[in-house]
Amino acid sequence: MAIQASKYKFLDLVRESDAITRGSQVGEKNHHALYRLIRRLSSIDLIRSGQIYTLETPIAELTAANLTRKALSSILKNLIDDRLITQLFIIRPGKNAVLEAVSCYIALPTDDLVSPNQLYYEMILKSVANIEEVIKQLPVYKHEDIKKDLEADFAARGAPPFDKLNRTILDPVRIIVPGIFDFVPDADLMRFGKADLKEELIRRQLFAELFEYGMMPLKKEEISPRFEVAGDFLTNRLIPHYRDRQNLKAELEAIYVEESAYYLDPFAPRNADFIVRKATAMKKNLIGQSQGERIRFPGLLAIEQILQLAPFIEELNRDQDKRDIQEGLNDIMTRLRSIDSQNWQDMALYLDEDEVDEIHPDVFKQLLSARDVMNSSWETGKGTLLILARKDRQIFEGLVNGMAASEGVENWHVLALKFMIEKYESDFPNLFQDEGFRSMYGRLLRKVYLRYIPFYHRILIYLGIRIFQDGAFQTAKDRIMEEQSHLAVRNKQRKETQMQKRLVERRERLAKAKDLGAVMRINEKIDACFRNGELPTASRLAKESSGMEPAALLDFLKRNSFQMLPLEGGDDSIVLYPLDQNWRVRSARLIRLLDSWKEKQSDDADPDRGLFYQSLPRIRRLLLDRGVAGQKKKDEEDPYEKFSQELKKHKEQAPDADLDI
C-alpha cells in the first residue's frame, strides 16, 4: 500500500519549536508531559509491539496531577489544534464485541528518518494484525451454520439483515464511525483510513468484500464449504424462485446445456465456472437501478459468496485434480514395481481397451512418456492390448524364464514380449550377450513360430531336415506382422466408429441431462465425505442440499440410479454413485480410497469414525458386486482366455487360413 503525503493532510504535523513560536501551550507542564509521551510512542517498533497511545494509556508524570478524563481530553484537543499530534484509529479485540475501533495519537517521530506517513501505515498494519488474530480465534462454521445466514438473507426484504448474518459478515471497516473517536475525526482520515484498511485486508486475502454486505472473513477451512453451500442454495432455492424472470430463464438454460455436456466426461476437471456463470447471470438480471443506486435482492448473499470465493475455489480444484492424477499414476507405478514377483504374469500389465479408457488421459500420457516405463501393444480381434512394464532388464529375464517354465503360455504372450524386446533392445545392449537368456528366448520363439508355418515344413523340421527352416521362420514372422497390421487398421476403424457413436450419444443425451449438474454435485459431496472419513448418508445429503426435502432427495437419487446401502441399526442409507457409464471409473477410485482408510484404521483415534470403519467392508462388497474398474465380475471371463479359446477354435476350423486374432 503506497502512502501519498499530498493526500493525507491530517498527517501534516509541526515540530515543538514551530508550535511554540505560533503560541502553542506545549510548554505548559501537563501539555509537555503528554506531548513527550505521545512523541516517544511514535515509533514503528513500538506500534508493532502494540504500545500505542490512547486515552486509556497511563501517564506517570501526570499521576500526581490527578487529571480527569475531560481535562486530559482538553489537553489532547489543544495539541491537535496546534498540529503537534494527530488523531488516528486502531482496531483491536473488543471488550464487548469481537472487534472495536478506538482513537489513538501520533506526533512527529524522534527519528528524523521516519515520517508520519510511515507511522500511519504501521497503524493500519497493526490493525490488520489484530484483526487477523481475532479471525483465527473464530469458530469454523459448518454447512448448517452457513446455510442459516443464507436463509435469513433470502427471507429478508429491503436492507440486508446484518444482525442475522454474523456467521458470514464481520466487517472491521463498518465499525470505523465518527462515534468511536474522542474528537470529530478529519474527513480525510475517515475516507482514506477505511479505504486503506479494506485494501490491505483484501490484499492479504484475509477478507473478501461482498457487494451490498461488506467484508467476509476468509478462513481457509471455510472456503470450500461456503462455496458449496452457496452453490447448492443458488441451485435449489434461488434459481427455482427467480428462473421465470425475463431473460434469466433462457440464459440459465444455455448454461445448463453446456454444463451437461461438460459433465458427460468422467475425467472432466473440477470446474466452478458454470455455477459462477449462473450467479453472474442472476446478479445481472435481478439487481436494479434506482436513482443511480444499486439495490440488493433476497438471496444476493449466496451469489456474492460464489463470485468472491470462485478464484480461491479454482485454485483448490486445480490442486485436487493434480492430486487425483498423481494418485492414479502412483497406483499404476506401484503395480509395475513388482519386478521380484514369483509370477511372470505380474511383471507386466496387460490392459484391454476398456481398462485403458478408465485411466485418466493425463495419467496415460505420463505413463507413455515416462523414462522408467516400457510400453507396447498387441492387436487382437476384439481390440488393442496395452502392455506396460518397468524399464528394467530383470523384467525381460523374468518374463522369458517365467514363460519358459510355464505350461499355460499363449502365443500372444510370447509375441507381445518379442515386440517389446525389439522396441527397447537398444536400451539394453548387453541383453543378448547372456547365453542363457538368448537360448531360452530363442526356444520360446521357435515354439511359437512352429505354429505359424505350414504343416509340411513342420514335419521336415521335426525330421531334422533344416534346409527350409530359415525361410519357414521368416514366413511365420511375415504372417504375424501382416496379421498385426491388418488388425491394427481394423481396430483403429472400430475405435473411430465407437468414438463417433459416443459423440452422437452425447448429443442425444443433452436433451435428458438437466439433472446432470445436480447429480455431479451430489457425487462431489460423496467424494468429499469419503475423503474426510465420513459416511454420505441420505439424511446428510438432504441437510447439505439447501432447500431440498429428504423425500424429494430420495426420489431424485432413485430416479438417477444412485446406489443405496441401508445403514445398520437405522432408517438411513449410505448413498453411493449412480450406476451409469461412469460407475466403473468412480467406484475404482473409491475402492482405492477405502483401502487407504483401512490402512489408517489402527492408528486413527477419532471416536466419530467408528461407524465409518464398520461400514467399509459392506461398501466395498457392493462396489465389487456392481463391477469395479480393474476387477472382474464373477461371471466375466478373462479377456485373454477368451482370445485363446477363439484362436484354438479358428485353428480347428481352418488350420491353414489367415488367423483372425
Side-chain angles (χ1 to χ4, degrees):
M1 181 176 66
I3 302 294
Q4 300 177 15
S6 58
K7 282 173 48 179
Y8 300 83
K9 301 299 183 184
F10 56 91
L11 295 176
D12 186 12
L13 301 177
V14 300
R15 298 185 179 279
E16 182 180 355
S17 57
D18 295 333
I20 292 174
T21 302
R22 296 190 309 186
S24 171
Q25 301 180 54
V26 72
E28 190 270 328
K29 178 181 177 182
N30 292 341
H31 283 69
H32 190 262
L34 182 55
Y35 171 69
R36 188 170 58 189
L37 173 62
I38 294 174
R39 192 176 187 206
R40 182 176 64 80
L41 293 177
S42 298
S43 154
I44 290 176
D45 291 337
L46 291 178
I47 291 174
R48 289 176 180 174
S49 68
Q51 299 182 61
I52 300 166
Y53 181 79
T54 69
L55 265 177
E56 303 165 352
T57 305
I59 308 172
E61 294 90 333
L62 299 182
T63 302
N66 199 23
L67 291 175
T68 64
R69 186 181 180 91
K70 182 177 180 180
L72 196 57
S73 296
S74 178
I75 296 174
L76 281 171
K77 185 66 170 69
N78 290 337
L79 294 176
I80 291 173
D81 291 343
D82 292 339
R83 292 168 52 203
L84 286 166
I85 66 172
T86 189
Q87 178 182 226
L88 302 178
F89 64 83
I90 184 75
I91 294 180
R92 64 190 185 187
K95 297 175 182 177
N96 301 313
V98 178
L99 292 168
E100 66 177 8
V102 296
S103 288
C104 60
Y105 304 87
I106 62 169
L108 279 176
T110 55
D111 185 348
D112 292 337
L113 297 178
V114 178
S115 69
N117 298 70
Q118 291 172 281
L119 297 181
Y120 165 80
Y121 181 48
E122 286 300 327
M123 205 71 75
I124 294 291
L125 295 183
K126 182 59 180 175
S127 290
V128 169
N130 289 342
I131 294 167
E132 184 174 8
E133 286 303 312
V134 168
I135 296 304
K136 288 179 181 177
Q137 304 305 317
L138 292 178
V140 176
Y141 292 113
K142 298 182 179 180
H143 287 74
E144 312 87 71
D145 301 314
I146 297 168
K147 181 183 172 185
K148 286 177 183 177
D149 278 9
L150 301 184
E151 292 283 7
D153 176 72
F154 187 45
R157 301 296 181 263
F162 294 117
D163 57 323
K164 297 180 181 179
L165 307 180
N166 55 359
R167 301 171 191 84
T168 304
I169 304 300
L170 175 61
D171 195 339
V173 178
R174 189 177 290 133
I175 65 176
I176 305 172
V177 295
I180 63 99
F181 289 91
D182 298 331
F183 308 99
V184 176
D186 186 276
D188 284 346
L189 171 63
M190 290 292 293
R191 182 156 57 101
F192 296 128
K194 293 168 75 170
D196 292 339
L197 177 65
K198 179 189 295 186
E199 178 186 339
E200 192 65 20
L201 290 171
I202 294 174
R203 187 186 70 81
R204 296 191 178 205
Q205 297 185 347
L206 298 174
F207 283 77
E209 184 178 15
L210 307 185
F211 171 72
E212 294 283 5
Y213 294 89
M215 306 287 279
M216 177 181 71
L218 288 175
K219 291 177 75 74
K220 185 177 180 181
E221 308 92 325
E222 289 182 354
I223 290 177
S224 185
R226 283 191 180 280
F227 189 86
E228 184 179 331
V229 172
D232 286 344
F233 198 85
L234 179 139
T235 300
N236 297 321
R237 298 296 300 277
L238 301 186
I239 289 179
H241 184 77
Y242 290 114
R243 70 183 307 156
D244 291 331
R245 296 292 182 93
Q246 188 177 8
N247 299 328
L248 179 58
K249 185 174 183 178
E251 194 166 348
L252 290 176
E253 287 297 328
I255 297 172
Y256 271 121
V257 170
E258 189 176 343
E259 182 181 24
S260 299
Y262 166 84
Y263 278 124
L264 286 173
D265 179 3
F267 299 111
R270 291 170 175 82
N271 190 346
D273 181 57
F274 295 109
I275 198 70
V276 170
R277 285 168 57 189
K278 292 172 195 172
T280 303
M282 294 193 70
K283 182 176 179 179
K284 178 184 69 176
N285 283 279
L286 297 176
I287 208 149
Q289 297 284 336
S290 177
Q291 296 180 354
E293 295 182 358
R294 288 169 290 189
I295 306 299
R296 73 170 278 277
F297 55 88
L300 179 59
L301 181 62
I303 288 174
E304 280 301 302
Q305 287 193 60
I306 291 170
L307 297 179
Q308 297 307 319
L309 293 176
F312 303 96
I313 290 296
E314 290 289 2
E315 184 177 351
L316 293 175
N317 285 345
R318 285 193 296 270
D319 291 343
Q320 186 60 50
D321 286 338
K322 289 178 183 177
R323 286 193 293 270
D324 288 347
I325 292 170
Q326 190 59 49
E327 287 174 7
L329 180 62
N330 291 343
D331 178 62
I332 295 178
M333 293 302 294
T334 299
R335 296 161 66 188
L336 292 178
R337 291 191 181 101
S338 304
I339 60 173
D340 297 324
S341 173
Q342 298 300 312
N343 298 318
W344 64 267
Q345 296 94 330
D346 298 330
M347 293 183 181
L349 293 180
Y350 303 90
L351 306 176
D352 61 28
E353 289 182 354
D354 287 341
E355 291 171 310
V356 171
D357 288 343
E358 290 160 3
I359 299 175
H360 193 290
D362 288 349
V363 174
F364 185 73
K365 290 178 184 176
Q366 292 185 51
L367 286 171
L368 296 188
S369 62
R371 294 183 177 182
D372 56 345
V373 176
M374 298 184 292
N375 69 83
S376 183
S377 61
W378 177 256
E379 303 296 337
T380 77
K382 294 187 176 181
T384 304
L385 284 176
L386 173 68
I387 305 167
L388 298 172
R390 286 291 298 274
K391 187 179 286 186
D392 192 305
R393 175 174 173 160
Q394 294 179 51
I395 291 291
F396 289 141
E397 294 171 345
L399 287 171
V400 168
N401 293 333
M403 290 181 186
S406 176
E407 295 296 329
V409 180
E410 298 293 337
N411 290 346
W412 73 268
H413 283 126
V414 177
L415 294 175
L417 171 63
K418 173 182 178 292
F419 278 29
M420 183 172 284
I421 288 177
E422 290 176 349
K423 182 176 181 180
Y424 291 96
E425 184 177 353
S426 61
D427 293 302
F428 305 99
N430 300 323
L431 183 63
F432 287 100
Q433 292 182 10
D434 183 333
E435 178 62 32
F437 175 84
R438 188 170 67 247
S439 174
M440 189 80 70
Y441 180 58
R443 287 200 297 272
L444 271 178
L445 288 181
R446 174 187 174 88
K447 186 177 179 180
V448 171
Y449 285 162
L450 284 173
R451 299 171 185 172
Y452 280 83
I453 63 178
F455 72 94
Y456 48 84
H457 280 165
R458 272 180 258 167
I459 293 173
L460 292 175
I461 293 173
Y462 287 142
L463 294 175
I465 303 173
R466 303 183 183 278
I467 187 171
F468 301 107
Q469 178 173 286
D470 290 346
F473 282 170
Q474 184 60 49
T475 299
K477 292 179 186 179
D478 293 342
R479 186 178 180 187
I480 292 167
M481 295 304 298
E482 182 181 348
E483 289 168 353
Q484 284 294 293
S485 176
H486 170 71
L487 288 171
V489 171
R490 196 170 75 180
N491 287 336
K492 182 180 179 182
Q493 291 175 342
R494 181 184 50 77
K495 189 75 173 176
E496 290 175 348
T497 301
Q498 287 179 347
M499 291 179 64
Q500 185 62 35
K501 183 179 178 181
R502 288 174 188 168
L503 288 175
V504 173
E505 289 175 351
R506 185 177 182 182
R507 296 190 191 102
E508 291 175 348
R509 289 189 60 193
L510 285 176
K512 304 175 183 178
K514 288 190 177 181
D515 282 346
L516 192 55
V519 169
M520 296 307 299
R521 279 186 287 278
I522 292 176
N523 284 337
E524 290 169 1
K525 292 178 189 295
I526 294 172
D527 287 339
C529 284
F530 281 117
R531 279 200 304 270
N532 296 330
E534 300 167 347
L535 291 175
T537 60
S539 60
R540 178 192 179 113
L541 294 176
K543 187 183 296 183
E544 294 181 0
S545 298
S546 303
M548 184 174 284
E549 293 296 326
L553 177 65
L554 281 174
D555 180 66
F556 179 87
L557 295 175
K558 292 175 183 176
R559 192 170 69 249
N560 287 278
S561 302
F562 279 84
Q563 300 302 288
M564 314 272 277
L565 191 63
L567 198 60
E568 292 181 349
D571 298 328
D572 212 347
S573 295
I574 301 169
V575 181
L576 299 176
Y577 308 108
L579 197 60
D580 58 15
Q581 78 281 1
N582 298 323
W583 166 267
R584 285 169 62 84
V585 175
R586 295 194 184 101
S587 56
R589 292 175 185 166
L590 183 54
I591 281 283
R592 292 194 295 270
L593 182 59
L594 296 183
D595 290 345
S596 69
W597 274 111
K598 189 67 177 173
E599 293 173 2
K600 302 173 187 175
Q601 182 174 358
S602 58
D603 298 324
D604 193 342
D606 190 343
D608 295 333
R609 288 211 178 99
L611 185 58
F612 175 80
Y613 287 120
Q614 181 183 335
S615 304
L616 291 187
R618 297 178 62 228
I619 297 172
R620 199 177 196 283
R621 196 177 308 122
L622 185 144
L623 294 172
L624 293 174
D625 287 345
R626 298 291 190 274
V628 177
Q631 301 284 344
K632 288 179 286 187
K633 297 179 182 178
K634 294 178 181 177
D635 59 346
E636 185 180 344
E637 295 182 59
D638 188 312
Y640 312 127
E641 180 64 27
K642 283 183 172 182
F643 165 70
S644 173
Q645 292 173 1
E646 183 178 333
L647 180 58
K648 289 179 180 177
K649 180 179 177 182
H650 181 89
K651 283 171 143 185
E652 292 170 358
Q653 294 175 346
D656 292 326
D658 288 342
L659 294 178
D660 186 11
I661 303 177

